[in-house]
Amino acid sequence: MCGPALLMACVVVTVPGCVGPPSRIDRTAEQRAASDPAALMRVAQAADRSGNPSTAAVFYRRAFDLDASNADAALGLAHALTVQGDADQATETLRTALARVAASDSVRVRKALGDLLVLSHRPTEAVAVFRAGLDRLPNEVPLLIGLGVAQDNCRDHAAAQAAYRKALTIEPGSIAGRNDLGLSIALAGDTDTALETLRQVRAEIVANGGEANDLATIDGNLALVYAMQGNLAGAARSARGAASDPTDLAANMKFYSALAPGSGASSGLPSTPEE
């Protein structure tokens, strides 16, 4: 126990066996932080960066509960829930946010909702989500590309390509738009044109020192198209650029082999290798 003579020492320095009284200032700061969305967001984002989605979800949810118009909190919470396998709750979070966020944030939230519905094998719902946004904002490139992806997943490749082409009239340099257009052309059966399109995009990315992620995405789609042609050697060459390690490469090649003609795989949009 601390005697009177040691009270000051207990406050100023750590003395073995000494426990000072709780600080009123500390308690007030904690209470203030618990009701401060910005402080909660900082904790959530730190947990996200450290690979702790369960903790991130707790703090994103608190921030979102305090302010349901906070698009970053909604997007962070939806991501953390999806990583943990709760896509349904993530979807509901984004639907709630979409009704409350500012107009300037609506495109980001709508795009995330539509993409999540596609990943959840609900492309028809995703088409409706994207169309509702485009009714208000007809020239939003992210929504047009999202609509195209959803329509491709519905096997409506002609409509998907129309969406991609409209996006490209607005933003001709869109890597995502050109990449998805190339894959859609392949899914519609014209693999030669698809290869030409994707090779051109790849060459431009390399020439312009583009992002490694963009290059990996293009390589993955090139591998898919080669596999659809039965060219597994070409698929293997492209797959090396898309895979992060030898284990991924082996898994992807097994997937590409299943796409080759005569393999018995069903036609239409393939699932991703990870699924």
Side-chain angles (χ1 to χ4, degrees):
M1 296 292 294
C2 296
L6 290 179
L7 180 58
M8 184 62 71
C10 290
V11 173
V12 177
V13 298
T14 300
V15 176
C18 295
V19 178
S23 167
R24 182 177 301 171
I25 294 175
D26 288 346
R27 284 199 303 269
T28 302
E30 288 174 4
Q31 291 168 356
R32 191 161 50 241
S35 60
D36 178 2
L40 293 168
M41 287 293 293
R42 287 192 292 272
V43 176
Q45 289 162 350
D48 237 348
R49 288 192 297 270
S50 67
N52 190 342
S54 59
T55 298
V58 169
F59 286 93
Y60 280 130
R61 188 182 297 281
R62 289 182 187 173
F64 185 60
D65 287 344
L66 288 170
D67 179 9
S69 68
N70 185 334
D72 290 330
L75 291 167
L77 176 56
H79 171 73
L81 290 169
T82 302
V83 169
Q84 296 178 87
D86 195 350
D88 288 343
Q89 188 60 45
T91 299
E92 289 310 306
T93 296
L94 292 172
R95 287 192 189 279
T96 299
L98 189 57
R100 301 183 183 182
V101 297
S104 58
D105 289 321
S106 65
V107 171
R108 287 194 299 146
V109 174
R110 188 176 295 277
K111 178 67 162 60
L113 174 58
D115 289 349
L116 181 55
L117 288 168
V118 170
L119 289 173
S120 301
H121 307 290
R122 297 158 66 181
T124 302
E125 292 178 60
V127 168
V129 166
F130 286 122
R131 281 181 172 160
L134 288 164
D135 285 344
R136 301 176 185 177
L137 301 166
N139 294 322
E140 280 292 338
V141 169
L143 298 184
L144 285 165
I145 293 174
L147 174 62
V149 172
Q151 289 170 324
D152 266 330
N153 276 266
C154 291
R155 294 182 168 81
D156 189 353
H157 304 308
Q161 289 167 40
Y164 299 137
R165 292 186 194 282
K166 181 176 179 180
L168 290 170
T169 63
I170 299 166
E171 191 177 314
S174 170
I175 297 297
R178 296 170 70 193
N179 177 44
D180 289 335
L181 175 60
L183 182 57
S184 182
I185 291 169
L187 294 170
D190 188 354
T191 54
D192 288 337
T193 300
L195 280 178
E196 181 181 350
T197 300
L198 292 171
R199 284 171 179 158
Q200 182 178 356
V201 177
R202 190 186 194 284
E204 290 178 17
I205 293 174
V206 172
N208 296 328
E211 296 289 335
N213 286 342
D214 288 338
L215 195 58
T217 301
I218 293 289
D219 283 339
N221 281 348
L222 279 168
L224 283 171
V225 178
Y226 280 125
M228 292 167 72
Q229 289 186 329
N231 182 353
L232 293 181
R237 285 195 302 272
S238 293
R240 291 188 187 96
S244 58
D245 57 50
T247 301
D248 281 347
L249 178 60
N252 289 352
M253 283 309 302
K254 183 177 180 180
F255 170 74
Y256 299 140
S257 296
L259 290 179
S263 67
S266 60
S267 61
L269 187 71
S271 298
T272 59
E274 292 77 14
E275 291 179 345

